């Protein structure tokens, strides 16, 4: 079932689909990662592409719930950042294409909000 986007703010960034899929830097058109559209509830990503461009993506939905902040770290399974509660993939950030990033993402299943800075 498709979700209704409430907030979608993309800066120097584009997505392959409405609220997920492959993510691209608008300046160099390089793939910077993959947002798993079915498993996240909210995302706030700020990044600097290896080309030097700074971009961001903020997305949530009309049915998004407030996430519970937690200190748990996302786990990596097959290069995907996954929720440690259920191993569901949330996002992939291609480190060779992204110089640094700040991520806050809420899992749709467990409603925990994970933060990662690199």
């Amino acid at each position: 079932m498709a979700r209704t986007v409430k907030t979608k703010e993309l800066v120097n960034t584009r997505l392959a689909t409405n609220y997920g899929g492959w993510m691209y830097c608008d300046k160099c058109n390089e793939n910077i990662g993959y947002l798993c559209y079915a498993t996240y509830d909210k995302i706030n990503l700020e990044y600097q592409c290896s080309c030097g461009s700074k971009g961001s993506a903020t997305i949530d939905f009309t049915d998004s719930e407030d996430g519970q902040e937690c200190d748990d770290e996302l786990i990596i399974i097959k290069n995907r950042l996954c929720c440690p509660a259920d191993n569901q993939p949330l996002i992939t950030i291609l480190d060779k294409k992204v110089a640094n990033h700040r991520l806050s993402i809420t899992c749709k299943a467990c409603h925990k909000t994970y933060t990662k800075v690199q």
Side-chain angles (χ1 to χ4, degrees):
M1 180 165 112
R3 299 179 77 190
T4 304
V5 175
K6 181 172 91 175
T7 306
K8 181 179 176 183
E9 297 172 3
L10 302 176
V11 176
N12 296 326
T13 305
R14 73 178 189 285
L15 297 172
T17 63
N18 186 30
Y19 52 84
W22 293 109
M23 302 171 68
Y24 299 91
C25 169
D26 268 349
K27 182 177 179 187
C28 67
N29 291 315
E30 289 288 333
N31 179 346
I32 60 159
Y34 185 86
L35 181 58
C36 302
Y37 60 90
T39 56
Y40 80 95
D41 206 27
K42 296 180 184 180
I43 184 171
N44 185 356
L45 171 67
E46 298 173 6
Y47 69 92
Q48 182 172 355
C49 181
S50 58
C51 75
S53 177
K54 292 185 179 183
S56 65
T58 301
I59 303 170
D60 69 356
F61 304 92
T62 55
D63 62 347
S64 290
E65 297 182 20
D66 289 334
Q68 177 186 3
E69 295 289 328
C70 71
D71 292 331
D72 297 342
E73 292 194 22
L74 293 166
I75 59 173
I76 298 173
I77 301 174
K78 296 183 180 178
N79 86 341
R80 298 177 183 133
L81 295 172
C82 301
C83 175
D86 61 8
N87 294 342
Q88 288 294 313
L90 298 171
I91 189 170
T92 300
I93 297 175
L94 300 175
D95 291 335
K96 63 183 179 179
K97 300 292 183 178
V98 176
N100 58 64
H101 68 275
R102 178 175 189 79
L103 170 68
S104 175
I105 192 164
T106 303
C107 177
K108 185 178 174 186
C110 72
H111 305 291
K112 290 185 179 176
T113 299
Y114 303 95
T115 302
K116 183 175 186 316
V117 178
Q118 186 171 346

